[in-house]
CSV table of all heavy atoms in Angstrom, one decimal:
chain,number,residue,atom,x,y,z
W,195,ARG,N,-12.8,12.1,-36.5
W,195,ARG,CA,-13.8,11.1,-36.9
W,195,ARG,C,-14.5,11.6,-38.1
W,195,ARG,O,-14.9,10.9,-39.1
W,195,ARG,CB,-14.7,10.8,-35.7
W,195,ARG,CG,-15.8,9.8,-35.9
W,195,ARG,CD,-15.4,8.5,-36.5
W,195,ARG,NE,-14.7,7.6,-35.5
W,195,ARG,CZ,-13.7,6.8,-35.9
W,195,ARG,NH1,-13.2,6.8,-37.1
W,195,ARG,NH2,-13.0,6.1,-35.0
W,196,HIS,N,-14.9,12.9,-38.0
W,196,HIS,CA,-15.6,13.5,-39.1
W,196,HIS,C,-14.8,13.5,-40.4
W,196,HIS,O,-15.3,13.2,-41.4
W,196,HIS,CB,-16.1,14.9,-38.7
W,196,HIS,CG,-16.9,15.6,-39.7
W,196,HIS,ND1,-16.5,16.5,-40.7
W,196,HIS,CD2,-18.3,15.5,-39.9
W,196,HIS,CE1,-17.5,16.9,-41.4
W,196,HIS,NE2,-18.6,16.4,-41.0
W,197,PHE,N,-13.5,13.7,-40.2
W,197,PHE,CA,-12.6,13.8,-41.4
W,197,PHE,C,-12.5,12.4,-42.0
W,197,PHE,O,-12.6,12.2,-43.2
W,197,PHE,CB,-11.3,14.3,-41.0
W,197,PHE,CG,-10.2,14.3,-42.1
W,197,PHE,CD1,-10.2,15.4,-43.0
W,197,PHE,CD2,-9.3,13.3,-42.2
W,197,PHE,CE1,-9.3,15.4,-44.1
W,197,PHE,CE2,-8.4,13.3,-43.3
W,197,PHE,CZ,-8.3,14.4,-44.2
W,198,PHE,N,-12.2,11.3,-41.2
W,198,PHE,CA,-11.9,10.0,-41.8
W,198,PHE,C,-13.2,9.2,-42.0
W,198,PHE,O,-13.1,8.2,-42.7
W,198,PHE,CB,-11.0,9.2,-40.8
W,198,PHE,CG,-9.6,9.7,-40.8
W,198,PHE,CD1,-9.0,10.4,-39.8
W,198,PHE,CD2,-8.8,9.5,-42.0
W,198,PHE,CE1,-7.7,10.8,-39.8
W,198,PHE,CE2,-7.5,9.9,-42.0
W,198,PHE,CZ,-6.9,10.6,-40.9
W,199,GLY,N,-14.3,9.5,-41.4
W,199,GLY,CA,-15.4,8.6,-41.4
W,199,GLY,C,-15.2,7.4,-40.5
W,199,GLY,O,-14.2,7.4,-39.7
W,200,PRO,N,-16.0,6.4,-40.5
W,200,PRO,CA,-16.0,5.3,-39.5
W,200,PRO,C,-14.9,4.3,-39.6
W,200,PRO,O,-14.7,3.5,-38.7
W,200,PRO,CB,-17.4,4.7,-39.6
W,200,PRO,CG,-17.8,4.9,-41.0
W,200,PRO,CD,-17.1,6.2,-41.5
W,201,ASN,N,-14.2,4.2,-40.7
W,201,ASN,CA,-13.3,3.1,-41.0
W,201,ASN,C,-11.9,3.2,-40.5
W,201,ASN,O,-11.1,2.2,-40.7
W,201,ASN,CB,-13.4,2.7,-42.5
W,201,ASN,CG,-14.8,2.3,-42.9
W,201,ASN,OD1,-15.5,1.7,-42.1
W,201,ASN,ND2,-15.1,2.6,-44.1
W,202,VAL,N,-11.5,4.3,-40.0
W,202,VAL,CA,-10.1,4.4,-39.5
W,202,VAL,C,-10.2,4.4,-38.0
W,202,VAL,O,-10.9,5.2,-37.4
W,202,VAL,CB,-9.5,5.8,-40.0
W,202,VAL,CG1,-8.1,5.9,-39.4
W,202,VAL,CG2,-9.4,5.8,-41.5
W,203,LEU,N,-9.4,3.5,-37.4
W,203,LEU,CA,-9.3,3.4,-35.9
W,203,LEU,C,-8.6,4.5,-35.3
W,203,LEU,O,-7.4,4.8,-35.8
W,203,LEU,CB,-8.7,2.0,-35.6
W,203,LEU,CG,-8.5,1.8,-34.0
W,203,LEU,CD1,-9.8,1.5,-33.4
W,203,LEU,CD2,-7.5,0.7,-33.7
W,204,LEU,N,-9.1,5.2,-34.4
W,204,LEU,CA,-8.4,6.4,-33.8
W,204,LEU,C,-7.8,5.9,-32.5
W,204,LEU,O,-8.5,5.5,-31.6
W,204,LEU,CB,-9.4,7.6,-33.5
W,204,LEU,CG,-10.0,8.1,-34.8
W,204,LEU,CD1,-11.0,9.2,-34.4
W,204,LEU,CD2,-9.0,8.7,-35.8
W,205,VAL,N,-6.4,5.9,-32.4
W,205,VAL,CA,-5.7,5.3,-31.3
W,205,VAL,C,-5.3,6.4,-30.3
W,205,VAL,O,-4.5,7.4,-30.8
W,205,VAL,CB,-4.4,4.5,-31.8
W,205,VAL,CG1,-3.7,4.0,-30.6
W,205,VAL,CG2,-4.8,3.5,-32.7
W,206,ASP,N,-5.8,6.4,-29.1
W,206,ASP,CA,-5.4,7.3,-28.1
W,206,ASP,C,-4.4,6.6,-27.2
W,206,ASP,O,-4.7,5.7,-26.4
W,206,ASP,CB,-6.6,7.7,-27.3
W,206,ASP,CG,-6.2,8.7,-26.1
W,206,ASP,OD1,-5.0,9.0,-25.9
W,206,ASP,OD2,-7.1,9.2,-25.4
W,207,PRO,N,-3.1,7.0,-27.3
W,207,PRO,CA,-2.1,6.3,-26.5
W,207,PRO,C,-2.3,6.3,-25.0
W,207,PRO,O,-1.8,5.4,-24.3
W,207,PRO,CB,-0.8,7.1,-26.8
W,207,PRO,CG,-1.0,7.7,-28.2
W,207,PRO,CD,-2.5,8.0,-28.2
W,208,ALA,N,-3.1,7.2,-24.5
W,208,ALA,CA,-3.4,7.3,-23.1
W,208,ALA,C,-4.0,6.0,-22.5
W,208,ALA,O,-3.7,5.7,-21.4
W,208,ALA,CB,-4.3,8.5,-22.8
W,209,VAL,N,-4.8,5.4,-23.4
W,209,VAL,CA,-5.6,4.2,-22.8
W,209,VAL,C,-4.6,3.1,-22.4
W,209,VAL,O,-4.6,2.6,-21.3
W,209,VAL,CB,-6.6,3.7,-23.9
W,209,VAL,CG1,-7.2,2.4,-23.4
W,209,VAL,CG2,-7.6,4.8,-24.3
W,210,GLU,N,-3.7,2.8,-23.3
W,210,GLU,CA,-2.6,1.8,-23.0
W,210,GLU,C,-1.6,2.3,-22.0
W,210,GLU,O,-1.1,1.5,-21.2
W,210,GLU,CB,-1.8,1.4,-24.3
W,210,GLU,CG,-0.8,0.4,-24.2
W,210,GLU,CD,-1.4,-1.0,-23.8
W,210,GLU,OE1,-2.6,-1.3,-24.2
W,210,GLU,OE2,-0.6,-1.7,-23.1
W,211,THR,N,-1.3,3.7,-22.0
W,211,THR,CA,-0.4,4.2,-21.0
W,211,THR,C,-1.0,4.0,-19.6
W,211,THR,O,-0.3,3.5,-18.7
W,211,THR,CB,-0.3,5.7,-21.2
W,211,THR,OG1,0.2,6.0,-22.5
W,211,THR,CG2,0.7,6.3,-20.2
W,212,VAL,N,-2.2,4.2,-19.4
W,212,VAL,CA,-2.8,4.0,-18.0
W,212,VAL,C,-2.8,2.6,-17.6
W,212,VAL,O,-2.6,2.3,-16.5
W,212,VAL,CB,-4.3,4.7,-18.0
W,212,VAL,CG1,-4.9,4.4,-16.7
W,212,VAL,CG2,-4.2,6.1,-18.3
W,213,LYS,N,-3.0,1.7,-18.6
W,213,LYS,CA,-2.9,0.2,-18.3
W,213,LYS,C,-1.5,-0.1,-17.8
W,213,LYS,O,-1.3,-0.8,-16.8
W,213,LYS,CB,-3.2,-0.7,-19.5
W,213,LYS,CG,-4.6,-0.8,-19.8
W,213,LYS,CD,-4.8,-1.8,-21.0
W,213,LYS,CE,-6.1,-1.7,-21.6
W,213,LYS,NZ,-6.2,-2.1,-23.0
W,214,GLN,N,-0.5,0.5,-18.4
W,214,GLN,CA,0.9,0.3,-18.0
W,214,GLN,C,1.2,0.9,-16.6
W,214,GLN,O,1.9,0.3,-15.8
W,214,GLN,CB,1.9,0.8,-19.0
W,214,GLN,CG,1.8,0.0,-20.3
W,214,GLN,CD,3.0,0.2,-21.2
W,214,GLN,OE1,4.0,0.8,-20.8
W,214,GLN,NE2,2.9,-0.4,-22.4
W,215,VAL,N,0.6,2.1,-16.3
W,215,VAL,CA,0.7,2.7,-15.0
W,215,VAL,C,0.1,1.7,-14.0
W,215,VAL,O,0.7,1.5,-12.9
W,215,VAL,CB,0.1,4.1,-15.0
W,215,VAL,CG1,0.1,4.6,-13.5
W,215,VAL,CG2,0.7,5.0,-15.9
W,216,GLN,N,-1.1,1.2,-14.2
W,216,GLN,CA,-1.8,0.3,-13.3
W,216,GLN,C,-0.9,-0.9,-13.0
W,216,GLN,O,-0.8,-1.3,-11.9
W,216,GLN,CB,-3.1,-0.1,-13.9
W,216,GLN,CG,-4.2,1.0,-13.7
W,216,GLN,CD,-5.5,0.5,-14.3
W,216,GLN,OE1,-5.5,0.1,-15.5
W,216,GLN,NE2,-6.6,0.5,-13.5
W,217,CYS,N,-0.4,-1.5,-14.1
W,217,CYS,CA,0.5,-2.7,-14.0
W,217,CYS,C,1.7,-2.4,-13.1
W,217,CYS,O,2.0,-3.1,-12.3
W,217,CYS,CB,0.9,-2.9,-15.4
W,217,CYS,SG,1.2,-4.6,-15.8
W,218,CYS,N,2.3,-1.2,-13.4
W,218,CYS,CA,3.5,-0.8,-12.7
W,218,CYS,C,3.2,-0.6,-11.2
W,218,CYS,O,4.0,-1.2,-10.3
W,218,CYS,CB,4.1,0.5,-13.2
W,218,CYS,SG,5.5,1.1,-12.5
W,219,VAL,N,2.2,0.1,-10.8
W,219,VAL,CA,2.0,0.2,-9.3
W,219,VAL,C,1.6,-1.1,-8.7
W,219,VAL,O,1.9,-1.3,-7.5
W,219,VAL,CB,0.9,1.4,-9.0
W,219,VAL,CG1,1.5,2.7,-9.1
W,219,VAL,CG2,-0.4,1.3,-9.8
W,220,ARG,N,0.8,-1.9,-9.4
W,220,ARG,CA,0.4,-3.1,-8.8
W,220,ARG,C,1.6,-4.1,-8.6
W,220,ARG,O,1.7,-4.7,-7.5
W,220,ARG,CB,-0.7,-3.8,-9.8
W,220,ARG,CG,-1.6,-4.7,-9.1
W,220,ARG,CD,-2.7,-5.2,-10.0
W,220,ARG,NE,-3.7,-4.2,-10.4
W,220,ARG,CZ,-4.2,-4.1,-11.7
W,220,ARG,NH1,-3.7,-4.7,-12.7
W,220,ARG,NH2,-5.1,-3.1,-11.9
Side-chain angles (χ1 to χ4, degrees):
R195 178 56 68 220
H196 187 263
F197 177 82
F198 285 109
N201 295 330
V202 175
L203 177 74
L204 300 177
V205 178
D206 179 355
V209 176
E210 183 62 31
T211 303
V212 174
K213 280 189 200 152
Q214 294 200 4
V215 173
Q216 282 179 302
C217 212
C218 178
V219 283
R220 209 173 287 136

